[in-house]
Amino acid sequence: MYELLTTYRDELLYSLAVIILLMVIQFILKTAANKVGKKSEINFTRTRLMFKYINILILLIAAFLLAIAWGVGLTELSVIFSSVFAVIGVALFAIWSILSNITSGIILFFSFPYKIGDTIRIHDKDLEVEAEIEDIKAFHLHLRTREGELITYPNNLILQKPVSLIERNRYRDEGKDAL
């Protein structure tokens, strides 16, 4: 065991440093997303979705840095990553709509002026709808009309179409000062 530790001492130290650094970066990113969520009064389930995206990003960076630490050359890494990204690129091209909705979901997290409980009107030539925002998911919004109809509206379209605020959620500010 001692021989193993002395043989791979540099690699183990570098790996430990990378893991600690990435854990600190992950903590900072999650704290920042949490602060943005609280400041913008964003539902915590949406904030947890951002946590998942942060975890995936940190995991990819960790895999890359640890591969370098353990002696995988840049040429081998470039072959692996280009092959993986080529396969992912072909697969994602086939499902570009899902990517578009995920990206839109991230944009909505940081800059969507409407919150859960607000009543909005979407001005779309195919669908003119007035509804209350029931939930904001990674791919779509759940909208509830006054008649009780549930409409699932894609995130990418909510960013492309004009939206009017009809009524602000009147219960949003209740209890805000309690914390």
Side-chain angles (χ1 to χ4, degrees):
M1 181 68 159
Y2 179 74
E3 184 180 315
L4 183 69
L5 290 175
T6 55
T7 305
Y8 295 108
R9 185 185 65 136
D10 292 340
E11 290 86 353
L12 290 170
L13 288 175
Y14 183 79
S15 297
L16 182 64
V18 164
I19 290 170
I20 291 171
L21 178 67
L22 289 177
M23 287 175 68
V24 169
I25 292 172
Q26 181 181 31
F27 175 77
I28 291 169
L29 289 174
K30 284 185 174 183
T31 302
N34 199 23
K35 283 183 182 180
V36 168
K38 285 182 180 179
K39 183 178 179 185
S40 302
E41 299 174 2
I42 295 172
N43 190 324
F44 187 68
T45 55
R46 292 184 58 213
T47 305
R48 282 194 324 214
L49 182 64
M50 288 300 116
F51 292 169
K52 288 180 185 178
Y53 294 150
I54 290 169
N55 289 339
I56 291 170
L57 174 68
I58 294 296
L59 183 66
L60 290 174
I61 293 171
F64 178 75
L65 292 176
L66 290 174
I68 290 175
W70 286 92
V72 177
L74 288 178
T75 54
E76 291 89 358
L77 276 178
S78 65
V79 169
I80 291 170
F81 276 101
S82 63
S83 300
V84 168
F85 285 127
V87 170
I88 290 173
V90 168
L92 294 180
F93 179 75
I95 54 171
W96 69 269
S97 177
I98 291 174
L99 269 184
S100 173
N101 284 318
I102 290 174
T103 305
S104 298
I106 293 170
I107 293 169
L108 289 176
F109 177 78
F110 290 106
S111 66
F112 195 51
Y114 313 113
K115 308 287 184 228
I116 293 173
D118 291 351
T119 302
I120 60 172
R121 179 178 295 131
I122 300 172
H123 306 280
D124 189 350
K125 66 179 180 180
D126 298 328
L127 173 74
E128 182 88 16
V129 65
E130 183 176 315
E132 178 181 327
I133 301 174
E134 195 171 271
D135 200 1
I136 303 173
K137 302 282 189 182
F139 299 102
H140 54 270
L141 296 174
H142 283 173
L143 304 171
R144 181 78 60 185
T145 65
R146 295 191 195 277
E147 296 79 29
E149 180 183 10
L150 178 66
I151 298 174
T152 303
Y153 201 76
N155 285 341
N156 62 346
L157 291 181
I158 200 76
L159 291 177
Q160 296 174 13
K161 305 296 179 184
V163 178
S164 301
L165 177 64
I166 303 301
E167 181 182 348
R168 180 80 58 198
N169 179 2
R170 63 180 174 268
Y171 301 110
R172 177 188 302 170
D173 294 331
E174 288 183 9
K176 190 161 91 173
D177 297 328
L179 299 175

